[in-house]
Amino acid sequence: MLVLGIESSCDETGVALYDTERGLLAHHLHTQMAMHAEYGGVVPELASRDHIRRLVPLTEGCLKEAGVPYGGIDAVAFTQGPGLGGALLAGSSYANALALALGKPVIPVHHLEGHLLSPLLADEKPDFPFVALLVSGGHTQIMAVRGIGDYELLGESVDDAAGEAFDKTAKLLGLPYPGGAKLSELAKSGRPDAFIFPRPMIHSDDLQMSFSGLKTAVLTAVEKVRAENGADDIPEQTRNDICRAFQDAVVDVLAAKVKKALLQTGFRTLVVAGGVGANWKLREEFGKLTVCMPSEKGRPKNREEKVDVFFPPMAYCTDNGAMIAFAGAMHLNAGREADAFNVRPRWPLSEIVK
Ligand code: KG4
Ligand code: ZN
């Protein structure tokens, strides 16, 4: 079965073709980043208009690359939410119109489920069950994933998402939108421990997280440096040190909470999904993650165990059509059909959770 996937929830138009027998055949993406950069953030109206412009050429690019005619498509999957209302509607209208014209089913996909399943697009796939850390610009959630469609929310950020904190902190440091990736680049040249920022909620008993206080800590540090230097500009090395300290704080909190989740569930596999999953420090730290598992029958006491960590391939970390086509293909037989072309800008993942 060949599924066309459409992603248009924010500022990336993604289209992909996933074949349940042969895997991913093509995936094309257009990012609106440059268009929004001059406004310092996503302008929803511009985003919707651009999705409309891109959807047909991206689809045709995929079909051409895969050598498949329109008639070869068996179903059209699209991101129904969460995301920007207008942007979602562009994708939904297109997906529904195309499916209607082809006489094929349309499959609504939850954007976060797409992210959650994206590591399954890699050659080396995780086995169920696993703990998933979803870290994007809009969400920071830790879930127990026992199978396709079987997700349990274990904890989440009570305020800013980790990616949002990266972007806001980058803006505060004068970096161009979207600053998360740029901040993490600069952190490479930052000296460890030149600044130390708090690790909010790291010791709380639950799996809840908080990142909004971190940008205040950064702001305080920036103001202090400015006052000391008597200038608005922050020296380059100091800025890089701040980037490093901020990134270290976020990654420390995420690692501590994920460890707790692994202990709580007893799972030994971790999957990281979402844009922040592209972060080098997070990959480095999670790559050496171990947890001290309590004793079990037939196993030695309190042994430190290496965790199997899976990251989606870089191209599928940020928003893309491949993860939507894949999630759609997984649901194809489950008979989840769309409620006309309604979109759900606010759609808690818990509503599709068993
Ligand atoms: O998953 P995604 O593409 O879109 C959402 O659904 O939000 O994630 C985008 C987020 C942005 O906040 C961006 O700053 C962040 O991922 N991001 C990064 C890095 N690359 C992207 N954050 C930290 N380090 C990176 N290398
Ligand atoms: Zn996303």
Side-chain angles (χ1 to χ4, degrees):
M1 296 289 249
L2 188 63
V3 180
L4 181 78
I6 309 285
E7 158 61 32
S8 73
S9 64
C10 190
D11 57 348
E12 254 111 29
T13 324
V15 179
L17 276 169
Y18 183 85
D19 187 292
T20 47
E21 309 275 301
R22 292 183 292 158
L24 190 66
L25 301 187
H27 81 107
H28 288 207
L29 187 82
H30 174 80
T31 175
Q32 304 174 351
M33 232 174 248
M35 183 180 80
H36 297 297
E38 70 177 283
Y39 303 96
V42 177
V43 184
E45 177 64 25
L46 293 183
S48 317
R49 290 189 213 171
D50 202 59
H51 286 308
I52 292 168
R53 265 197 294 276
R54 308 289 170 183
L55 283 163
V56 173
L58 286 171
T59 305
E60 293 193 338
C62 282
L63 291 170
K64 194 165 169 214
E65 188 187 329
V68 177
Y70 273 103
I73 298 171
D74 294 306
V76 184
F78 72 98
T79 303
Q80 191 175 33
L84 301 170
L88 289 167
L89 269 173
S92 165
S93 314
Y94 176 69
N96 276 276
L98 184 59
L100 186 68
L102 297 173
K104 302 291 176 178
V106 61
I107 310 162
V109 171
H110 194 292
H111 180 79
L112 295 182
E113 186 181 25
H115 276 305
L116 207 60
L117 300 181
S118 59
L120 299 174
L121 283 163
D123 291 336
E124 217 182 305
K125 302 172 190 25
D127 288 326
F128 296 113
F130 53 77
V131 166
L133 172 69
L134 265 178
V135 263
S136 69
H139 296 84
T140 301
Q141 301 185 324
I142 300 176
M143 327 235 3
V145 179
R146 295 185 176 84
I148 305 270
D150 187 350
Y151 319 119
E152 182 191 351
L153 182 65
L154 302 175
E156 60 186 334
S157 172
V158 296
D159 42 51
D160 289 355
E164 187 180 0
F166 262 92
D167 293 336
K168 286 178 175 171
T169 303
K171 195 169 181 177
L172 206 143
L173 292 170
L175 305 178
Y177 163 87
K182 179 79 184 153
L183 186 156
S184 127
E185 240 350 89
L186 296 181
K188 281 187 182 157
S189 321
R191 292 166 299 183
D193 303 333
F195 288 82
I196 308 276
F197 293 134
R199 270 74 173 146
M201 294 180 82
I202 197 165
H203 297 302
S204 71
D205 284 340
D206 53 23
L207 295 171
Q208 302 297 82
M209 294 158 276
S210 162
F211 295 105
S212 74
L214 260 178
K215 61 177 187 297
T216 317
V218 172
L219 183 63
T220 310
V222 168
E223 279 170 353
K224 191 158 171 260
V225 172
R226 283 186 180 139
E228 279 166 9
N229 293 348
D232 257 6
D233 283 347
I234 322 168
E236 204 176 304
Q237 184 60 53
T238 310
R239 186 196 54 193
N240 297 351
D241 292 344
I242 293 177
C243 291
R244 172 78 190 244
F246 168 82
Q247 181 175 271
D248 285 355
V250 174
V251 172
D252 266 6
V253 172
L254 293 173
K257 294 294 175 170
V258 152
K259 236 174 142 149
K260 210 170 267 183
L262 288 160
L263 271 173
Q264 194 175 305
T265 53
F267 300 169
R268 271 83 162 162
T269 306
L270 170 69
V271 159
V272 183
V276 186
N279 186 272
W280 63 270
K281 176 74 178 172
L282 188 127
R283 289 185 173 232
E284 197 177 285
E285 287 304 312
F286 282 28
K288 31 185 205 214
L289 201 67
T290 58
V291 276
C292 185
M293 293 291 180
S295 60
E296 257 174 35
K297 222 176 153 192
R299 291 182 136 169
K301 253 189 170 175
N302 291 345
R303 69 228 173 269
E304 212 40 61
E305 271 192 26
K306 182 99 182 57
V307 177
D308 281 329
V309 188
F310 292 81
F311 291 96
M314 279 295 196
Y316 313 134
C317 258
T318 48
D319 290 350
N320 64 84
M323 64 184 194
I324 303 304
F326 180 74
M330 296 300 107
H331 285 296
L332 189 56
N333 299 323
R336 279 177 59 197
E337 298 212 354
D339 166 16
F341 59 70
N342 253 358
V343 293
R344 306 189 60 180
R346 290 174 191 281
W347 184 12
L349 188 60
S350 55
E351 285 185 17
I352 64 163
V353 169
K354 275 194 202 169

